Structure formats: C-alpha cells, structure tokens
Amino acid sequence: MGTKQLFFKLRDKTRFMWARSKFGYIPNGDVAKFDFNELEHVVILKLDGKLGDTQVMTHFYSQLRSLTNAAGRKLFLSAVCPKNLKHIYKDILGFDCVIESSRKPKEKEIELICEQIIQAAVDAGYSDKIDLVLSTEPNYRPRDFIFNHCLKPKYVAGCDKRLSDNLVARAASQAALSGGIDEQVARKATEISFLLYDVDAYDKRVSQAFCEFMQLGKLEPSLVSYKPLFTEEELEHAQNYLACESKKTQDSLIVGVNPSGAAKIRSFTPELTAAIISKIISSSDKTRALLLCHRGMSDYIDKVIASLGELKDLVGTRIVLMPKESTPCDLAALISCCDGQIGVDTATVHIACATSVRQLCFYHNVTTNSLQWAPLGEGDTAEVLRFSDANFNTIEPNLILNPTAEFMNKLLATQND
C-alpha cells in the first residue's frame, strides 16, 4: 500500500471512530419481531448518487410502495439523495418525501434534512417516529452516524459489518448486558439491526440480498424485476432523438456502447471503443451505434471520433452521440430504445436489464463483486465475460473485439428470425 493510500485509510478510520463516538446510536427495535407490514415510515439514504445501485433496488422499492399496514395506511417512504437522483425517487419511484442533499453534508445540513423528513410525515398525518433507516453504502461514514442520531429509528439496515450483522449477534449482546458486561462494549454489535449483505463475501446478486431482507420482514418473495427509470415523455423524447439523429427505420438496428466505468482502469481506451463501433457498423448496413458517453467526456469522445478513420463521416447518422443535455432518465430511455448494448460493468448494464435489452458485458472478475453486480439476465439476455486483469486498458483488444463480432451476429440473427 502506497503512502497516499495509507493516509486516506488512516484518515477514514479516524473519522469513523470520531463519528461513532460522538453520534453513535443504538436502535431499540426487536429484530425477531421485524415486520415490514407493521412499519409506517422508512427512510432511504442514497447520498452516493449511484444510478446503477438505484436501478438494482427498484424491485425492493416497488414492494415497499405497495404495502398497506393493518390499519389500512400505506408505508410513508422518504429518500435523501443528490440532485441527479431526485426526479427518479420522487416522480418515477413515487417516494412520498424526497430531500435533496449535497454529496458530503455536514452536521447542520443533516439536522435540517432530518427535520424536513419528520415534518413531511407529520404533515401527511403520520407520527414523528421513524421505523427504519436504510443505507446501502459499504462503509459507514460520519454522515450516516449523524442521520441515525437525528432520526432515531427503531431499526437500522446497512452494509457495514463493523457495526452489526445479524440476530445472533444482537441476542448475544443482550445476553451480555444481562450479565453486567459494560454496556457500550456489549452494544457495539447492535448499531445496525440488519446487515443487508457482506460486501466481501456475499456471492449472489445484490437484488437477491434485498429479497432476503424482505423475507426477513415477513414479505412474500416475488420474481425480481427492475422498474424502468424514465417517464413516457422521456421515452418519447428518446425515440424522437434516435429517429432524427440515426435515421432509425423499422428494419434498422441500433446498439449502445458504454466504454466507461466508475474507475479509469475499468474503461476502454478511445481506440478500442472506436474499434468496437467499427465492428458494429461493419456487421451490417442496417446497424447504428449509440455512444453512451455524456458530453462532459468531450475529450474522450473527440479521441474516439479521431480513431474512427473514414467512419468519422458517419457521426450524426450511423454513429450517434448522446444529446448535449442528458439526465440519468434520458440515458435510461435511450438505452431502452436500443436493440442491444455493449459495455463495461457500470450502471448502464442494470438499466438495460430493466427493459430486457440484450447485452454483452465486460467485467473485472473481483471474486464476489462481479457476482453481486452481475446483470439480472445473465445467461439469457446478458452475456458476461470476466477478466482477471483489473485494467481494461491492458487487455488484448481481440478479447473484446471477437466477442463483439459474435454478439452482433447473434443480434442480427435474432432480428431476422
């Protein structure tokens, strides 16, 4: 580990210990009696702004949205998220209260957000009590401790195994309390009522972890499906854009290409992306390619175009760029209009799953991580290739291009059937 990495690790550990000491909160709900049907108010913390995570959890959100408790009241759902996800949680997923937050809110901002959440519930005729706070980030941050401290929920669910993991740990800690062991020591394992999944060991899809959580809360299991993250208006806009930009006709075929993951090493070089586009274009005179890079990546896009050679003259017709102003919902709508998609492990993989778009996905085989975030349709609508090399920039190009050519042949054959 380098000096820089060591510094950040020590810094994060120090911040974690400080926040835990100052804002540590122990939820008092009995996990053995946990029942989603008896909850009234659930708060989702999604401050990392990740679109793919939100897409994967739409099955869980839809189940919560449909709940009505014994008193005939619908579950009140609140979400805290950055600006890029606000429209999704409010208008598409139908949350009752959606509060916009900065990515790294300080104590005062968090206190204000919590006040707004509680007031919104009271104004809607609910109590000022929070039943469950759920955070899906793998590591608890100071902000998570502060949210729990302010909201004081009955239950807390999260993914940081340093705080708690299961009913057994809670029962053991309660037994320890009865035996007179120091309260703070005994309760260290109960700061999270439910560990959603162990990010280092869970070997199934994250969507399955939420199904298991729902079953733990007395809900009947159902087949996992993702809710598309766009409105009818956004879909119509995407259809019109593609019809105009790519001259898409009834017998044409358009394939989305997303070469960029969250980490730079999980992204294709501009030259390789251009070669993928070339494979798509050369596979048939009916094919189009949609480059799924937002216009903020202008330098990368320019390099891709420069690497296309003579094909660069097709930009704007058979090679289509994203609209200059695109929201996450616009992206989702455009992907739904595609006949296929080729790309790396990132949000667009899960977005394509929501509308069963056939895809070829390239993953870094990081043990359980590639299983947790595997596409929902793997083996059916999604073909996944996993590489032991973490750096996609160093992978032999033909290991990407040959499967691309095969995928295009399958896609064309499917369309002709």
Side-chain angles (χ1 to χ4, degrees), residues 217-229:
K218 316 297 189 300
L219 295 182
E220 291 294 325
S222 62
L223 186 66
V224 176
S225 62
Y226 298 160
K227 180 180 177 63
L229 299 180

PDB file of all heavy atoms in Angstrom, residues 217-229:
ATOM      1  N   GLY A 217     -38.482  -9.638   6.826  1.00  0.00           N
ATOM      2  CA  GLY A 217     -39.536  -8.749   7.307  1.00  0.00           C
ATOM      3  C   GLY A 217     -40.928  -9.230   6.968  1.00  0.00           C
ATOM      4  O   GLY A 217     -41.847  -8.423   6.816  1.00  0.00           O
ATOM      5  N   LYS A 218     -41.083 -10.559   6.813  1.00  0.00           N
ATOM      6  CA  LYS A 218     -42.396 -11.206   6.656  1.00  0.00           C
ATOM      7  C   LYS A 218     -43.085 -10.907   5.327  1.00  0.00           C
ATOM      8  O   LYS A 218     -44.307 -11.042   5.209  1.00  0.00           O
ATOM      9  CB  LYS A 218     -43.346 -10.797   7.799  1.00  0.00           C
ATOM     10  CG  LYS A 218     -42.757 -10.796   9.204  1.00  0.00           C
ATOM     11  CD  LYS A 218     -42.322 -12.153   9.665  1.00  0.00           C
ATOM     12  CE  LYS A 218     -41.943 -12.180  11.153  1.00  0.00           C
ATOM     13  NZ  LYS A 218     -40.832 -11.292  11.523  1.00  0.00           N
ATOM     14  N   LEU A 219     -42.337 -10.518   4.297  1.00  0.00           N
ATOM     15  CA  LEU A 219     -42.941 -10.298   2.979  1.00  0.00           C
ATOM     16  C   LEU A 219     -42.762 -11.539   2.119  1.00  0.00           C
ATOM     17  O   LEU A 219     -41.727 -12.206   2.186  1.00  0.00           O
ATOM     18  CB  LEU A 219     -42.297  -9.099   2.280  1.00  0.00           C
ATOM     19  CG  LEU A 219     -42.503  -7.728   2.922  1.00  0.00           C
ATOM     20  CD1 LEU A 219     -41.848  -6.650   2.068  1.00  0.00           C
ATOM     21  CD2 LEU A 219     -43.980  -7.430   3.116  1.00  0.00           C
ATOM     22  N   GLU A 220     -43.749 -11.846   1.301  1.00  0.00           N
ATOM     23  CA  GLU A 220     -43.671 -12.995   0.409  1.00  0.00           C
ATOM     24  C   GLU A 220     -42.676 -12.707  -0.715  1.00  0.00           C
ATOM     25  O   GLU A 220     -42.671 -11.609  -1.285  1.00  0.00           O
ATOM     26  CB  GLU A 220     -45.047 -13.304  -0.191  1.00  0.00           C
ATOM     27  CG  GLU A 220     -46.060 -13.826   0.809  1.00  0.00           C
ATOM     28  CD  GLU A 220     -45.663 -15.184   1.362  1.00  0.00           C
ATOM     29  OE1 GLU A 220     -45.077 -15.988   0.604  1.00  0.00           O
ATOM     30  OE2 GLU A 220     -45.945 -15.445   2.546  1.00  0.00           O
ATOM     31  N   PRO A 221     -41.824 -13.693  -1.056  1.00  0.00           N
ATOM     32  CA  PRO A 221     -40.858 -13.481  -2.141  1.00  0.00           C
ATOM     33  C   PRO A 221     -41.565 -13.366  -3.485  1.00  0.00           C
ATOM     34  O   PRO A 221     -42.637 -13.951  -3.690  1.00  0.00           O
ATOM     35  CB  PRO A 221     -39.980 -14.736  -2.075  1.00  0.00           C
ATOM     36  CG  PRO A 221     -40.856 -15.780  -1.452  1.00  0.00           C
ATOM     37  CD  PRO A 221     -41.713 -15.041  -0.456  1.00  0.00           C
ATOM     38  N   SER A 222     -41.002 -12.604  -4.387  1.00  0.00           N
ATOM     39  CA  SER A 222     -41.554 -12.470  -5.728  1.00  0.00           C
ATOM     40  C   SER A 222     -40.408 -12.413  -6.724  1.00  0.00           C
ATOM     41  O   SER A 222     -39.266 -12.133  -6.359  1.00  0.00           O
ATOM     42  CB  SER A 222     -42.410 -11.202  -5.839  1.00  0.00           C
ATOM     43  OG  SER A 222     -41.632 -10.042  -5.598  1.00  0.00           O
ATOM     44  N   LEU A 223     -40.713 -12.688  -7.972  1.00  0.00           N
ATOM     45  CA  LEU A 223     -39.698 -12.680  -9.013  1.00  0.00           C
ATOM     46  C   LEU A 223     -39.107 -11.283  -9.163  1.00  0.00           C
ATOM     47  O   LEU A 223     -39.850 -10.305  -9.282  1.00  0.00           O
ATOM     48  CB  LEU A 223     -40.306 -13.134 -10.344  1.00  0.00           C
ATOM     49  CG  LEU A 223     -39.341 -13.319 -11.518  1.00  0.00           C
ATOM     50  CD1 LEU A 223     -38.385 -14.475 -11.227  1.00  0.00           C
ATOM     51  CD2 LEU A 223     -40.115 -13.572 -12.801  1.00  0.00           C
ATOM     52  N   VAL A 224     -37.777 -11.194  -9.156  1.00  0.00           N
ATOM     53  CA  VAL A 224     -37.115  -9.887  -9.247  1.00  0.00           C
ATOM     54  C   VAL A 224     -37.286  -9.299 -10.639  1.00  0.00           C
ATOM     55  O   VAL A 224     -37.036  -9.960 -11.648  1.00  0.00           O
ATOM     56  CB  VAL A 224     -35.618 -10.003  -8.910  1.00  0.00           C
ATOM     57  CG1 VAL A 224     -34.919  -8.650  -9.109  1.00  0.00           C
ATOM     58  CG2 VAL A 224     -35.423 -10.492  -7.486  1.00  0.00           C
ATOM     59  N   SER A 225     -37.704  -8.061 -10.677  1.00  0.00           N
ATOM     60  CA  SER A 225     -37.766  -7.314 -11.937  1.00  0.00           C
ATOM     61  C   SER A 225     -37.475  -5.858 -11.613  1.00  0.00           C
ATOM     62  O   SER A 225     -37.819  -5.379 -10.539  1.00  0.00           O
ATOM     63  CB  SER A 225     -39.139  -7.455 -12.600  1.00  0.00           C
ATOM     64  OG  SER A 225     -40.153  -6.926 -11.762  1.00  0.00           O
ATOM     65  N   TYR A 226     -36.851  -5.164 -12.551  1.00  0.00           N
ATOM     66  CA  TYR A 226     -36.479  -3.771 -12.324  1.00  0.00           C
ATOM     67  C   TYR A 226     -37.492  -2.836 -12.972  1.00  0.00           C
ATOM     68  O   TYR A 226     -37.993  -3.103 -14.069  1.00  0.00           O
ATOM     69  CB  TYR A 226     -35.092  -3.480 -12.909  1.00  0.00           C
ATOM     70  CG  TYR A 226     -33.962  -4.264 -12.315  1.00  0.00           C
ATOM     71  CD1 TYR A 226     -32.759  -4.403 -13.001  1.00  0.00           C
ATOM     72  CD2 TYR A 226     -34.065  -4.877 -11.062  1.00  0.00           C
ATOM     73  CE1 TYR A 226     -31.698  -5.115 -12.463  1.00  0.00           C
ATOM     74  CE2 TYR A 226     -33.010  -5.589 -10.515  1.00  0.00           C
ATOM     75  CZ  TYR A 226     -31.822  -5.708 -11.229  1.00  0.00           C
ATOM     76  OH  TYR A 226     -30.775  -6.418 -10.694  1.00  0.00           O
ATOM     77  N   LYS A 227     -37.745  -1.739 -12.311  1.00  0.00           N
ATOM     78  CA  LYS A 227     -38.643  -0.716 -12.854  1.00  0.00           C
ATOM     79  C   LYS A 227     -37.838   0.222 -13.750  1.00  0.00           C
ATOM     80  O   LYS A 227     -36.805   0.746 -13.337  1.00  0.00           O
ATOM     81  CB  LYS A 227     -39.288   0.076 -11.720  1.00  0.00           C
ATOM     82  CG  LYS A 227     -40.254   1.162 -12.186  1.00  0.00           C
ATOM     83  CD  LYS A 227     -40.853   1.888 -10.994  1.00  0.00           C
ATOM     84  CE  LYS A 227     -41.770   3.024 -11.443  1.00  0.00           C
ATOM     85  NZ  LYS A 227     -42.929   2.527 -12.219  1.00  0.00           N
ATOM     86  N   PRO A 228     -38.269   0.457 -14.985  1.00  0.00           N
ATOM     87  CA  PRO A 228     -37.565   1.402 -15.864  1.00  0.00           C
ATOM     88  C   PRO A 228     -37.526   2.796 -15.249  1.00  0.00           C
ATOM     89  O   PRO A 228     -38.519   3.268 -14.694  1.00  0.00           O
ATOM     90  CB  PRO A 228     -38.403   1.380 -17.152  1.00  0.00           C
ATOM     91  CG  PRO A 228     -39.081   0.047 -17.128  1.00  0.00           C
ATOM     92  CD  PRO A 228     -39.382  -0.216 -15.682  1.00  0.00           C
ATOM     93  N   LEU A 229     -36.401   3.450 -15.391  1.00  0.00           N
ATOM     94  CA  LEU A 229     -36.198   4.742 -14.730  1.00  0.00           C
ATOM     95  C   LEU A 229     -36.457   5.921 -15.666  1.00  0.00           C
ATOM     96  O   LEU A 229     -35.626   6.818 -15.816  1.00  0.00           O
ATOM     97  CB  LEU A 229     -34.776   4.812 -14.152  1.00  0.00           C
ATOM     98  CG  LEU A 229     -34.441   3.772 -13.093  1.00  0.00           C
ATOM     99  CD1 LEU A 229     -33.010   3.940 -12.604  1.00  0.00           C
ATOM    100  CD2 LEU A 229     -35.414   3.869 -11.912  1.00  0.00           C
TER     101      LEU A 229
END
